[in-house]
Amino acid sequence: MTVRAVVKGVGHYLPTRVVENAEFEASLETNDEWIRARSGIERRHFAGEGETTSSMATAAAQAALDMAGLQADDVDALVVATSTADLTFPSAATMVQAELGMTRGFAFDIQAVCAGFVFALSNANALIVSGQARRVLVIGAETFSRIMDWSDRSTCVLFGDGAGALLLEAQDGNGTSADRGILSTDLNSDGTHRDLLYVDGGSSTGTTGYLRMQGNQVFRHAVEKLSKTATTAMARAGVDSADVDWIVPHQANIRIIQGTAKKLGLPMDKVVVTVQDHGNTSAASIPLALSVGVARGQIKQGDLLVTEAIGGGLAWGAVVLRW
Ligand code: UT7
């Protein structure tokens, strides 16, 4: 018997304010055509007044709990992947714990920027497989609109806000790739690339800072590293591209998504794509895509999924799971 972390619920939250590409044309030397052609982004959601990473995370988590038919106190651990916690501390996760009315268990944040959800899934899986938790809420939530330099056209048109959540539960499997649940994970980082993507604030400056990115340099790393980590994770799970029903990639750029799918030998009709509607929501993008993919009727129970992401650090990784 093998313990597997199986998805029992999924949910998401998007702020009501939608900003179309054309809205940037009034304040920046940019246009809808450039943004669409270079990134695939058409619109994004921005958090409104009073909306925070933790409030959006709470809404997404509640939706995942509702789908699973569970209460907050049925959960043993709560993990939030975010780089935009409401405050430097306490963690966004403990704020969500309180908002959900969860009076037991433990909660903590994971910070691996755009790869955060893959890192959080892998750690949640480890908690379940090692017997430290039976049910874990894994949430990705971000308010990148609050760390944008609105005068920098090379970054501020790319990012958006939102949150997504999964409820994972321990279930017995047979130890084969036919099991439901997380089948394998692969995590990587290389801290020598810190200048490619970072926020120029924190405890060293006493400011919150703004996101800085050499986008074309990050792009250069993305397709190769993403296809390699996905291939490694698939080999670990004992599956290959022909077995995959859906790639659910980090949604940063349609050209990265297409390039990675091509390298993995998978057609675009096996890829869940939300980048046009959400922009890059960093750690929230994969759980948002999972939730939207289920709502659209794309992802169904028993499907084999590969998620993959890369971001600041650089940090990157992949998770193979059967839905
Ligand atoms: O999620 C975390 C990881 N992040 C990513 O994966 C992002 C990866 N990178 C990308 O998605 C792409 O590199 C971008 C979408 C950021 C940029 O696309 P690109 O094809 O790599 O363009 P580029 O950075 O090489 O810039 C091309 C030109 C430049 O002008 P010159 O130097 O050729 O005259 C930029 O100044 O486009 C210019 N440019 C813009 N023009 C209109 C940059 N931003 C804009 C803009 N509107 N918003």
Side-chain angles (χ1 to χ4, degrees):
M1 217 62 104
T2 305
V3 177
R4 297 289 195 191
V6 175
V7 177
K8 303 298 279 187
V10 62
H12 71 271
Y13 177 84
L14 287 161
T16 49
R17 184 175 168 219
V18 177
V19 175
E20 301 287 336
N21 288 346
E23 286 193 41
F24 290 100
E25 291 172 10
S27 56
L28 291 169
E29 235 179 90
T30 190
N31 54 70
D32 176 46
E33 204 185 328
W34 188 96
I35 301 169
R36 273 176 204 248
R38 298 293 177 123
S39 71
I41 297 164
E42 297 172 24
R43 60 193 65 81
R44 73 288 291 138
H45 295 246
F46 284 153
E49 210 180 314
E51 273 180 322
T52 63
T53 292
S54 71
S55 72
M56 295 192 299
T58 302
Q62 188 60 59
L65 282 172
D66 291 347
M67 183 188 270
L70 295 169
Q71 310 292 319
D73 272 344
D74 296 326
V75 176
D76 304 308
L78 186 157
V79 186
V80 177
T82 189
S83 301
T84 48
D86 304 15
L87 301 172
T88 300
F89 73 79
S91 65
T94 53
M95 294 185 184
V96 176
Q97 184 187 26
E99 283 300 310
L100 287 175
M102 182 177 158
T103 58
R104 55 179 295 277
F106 58 95
F108 62 97
D109 288 357
I110 281 188
Q111 208 271 51
V113 202
C114 297
F117 194 74
V118 165
F119 276 65
L121 264 188
S122 179
N123 278 275
N125 183 52
L127 288 173
I128 287 174
V129 169
S130 64
Q132 293 177 79
R134 203 176 121 62
R135 294 197 186 104
V136 185
L137 262 171
V138 192
I139 307 162
E142 303 279 16
T143 42
F144 265 48
S145 65
R146 304 229 164 95
I147 55 165
M148 286 298 119
D149 173 351
W150 297 108
S151 67
D152 178 7
R153 67 176 184 173
S154 72
T155 55
C156 73
V157 302
L158 301 174
F159 293 89
D161 301 336
L166 295 187
L167 188 284
L168 297 177
E169 184 179 270
Q171 264 183 23
D172 288 334
N174 295 318
T176 71
S177 62
D179 288 347
R180 285 188 67 206
I182 294 177
L183 301 178
S184 70
T185 71
D186 180 59
L187 302 182
N188 310 269
S189 60
D190 179 351
T192 62
H193 298 298
R194 61 178 262 182
D195 291 342
L196 299 189
L197 180 48
Y198 63 99
V199 171
D200 60 3
S203 63
S204 62
T205 61
T207 62
T208 309
Y210 296 110
L211 182 145
R212 307 292 175 201
M213 178 167 76
Q214 295 176 46
N216 50 10
Q217 299 297 320
V218 177
F219 197 114
R220 234 170 253 178
H221 287 276
V223 173
E224 198 201 316
K225 285 184 165 54
L226 289 172
S227 54
K228 191 158 176 240
T229 186
T231 303
T232 302
M234 285 193 286
R236 242 169 236 167
V239 300
D240 61 31
S241 292
D243 303 311
V244 173
D245 294 296
W246 294 104
I247 305 183
V248 188
H250 170 48
Q251 311 279 325
N253 186 312
I254 191 68
R255 294 183 292 140
I256 294 174
I257 293 171
Q258 288 164 338
T260 307
K262 192 172 173 195
K263 243 186 154 165
L264 292 172
L266 280 154
M268 282 304 288
D269 61 9
K270 291 199 167 194
V271 186
V272 177
V273 180
T274 55
V275 69
Q276 69 282 5
D277 296 325
H278 301 164
N280 183 345
T281 58
S282 190
S285 89
I286 288 175
L288 270 167
L290 288 168
S291 186
V292 168
V294 170
R296 283 179 187 158
Q298 292 176 308
I299 300 170
K300 298 193 177 65
Q301 190 170 314
D303 282 355
L304 186 73
L305 272 53
V306 178
T307 66
E308 30 88 345
I310 186 166
L314 297 175
W316 67 101
V319 172
V320 176
L321 73 154
R322 192 171 294 283
W323 195 256

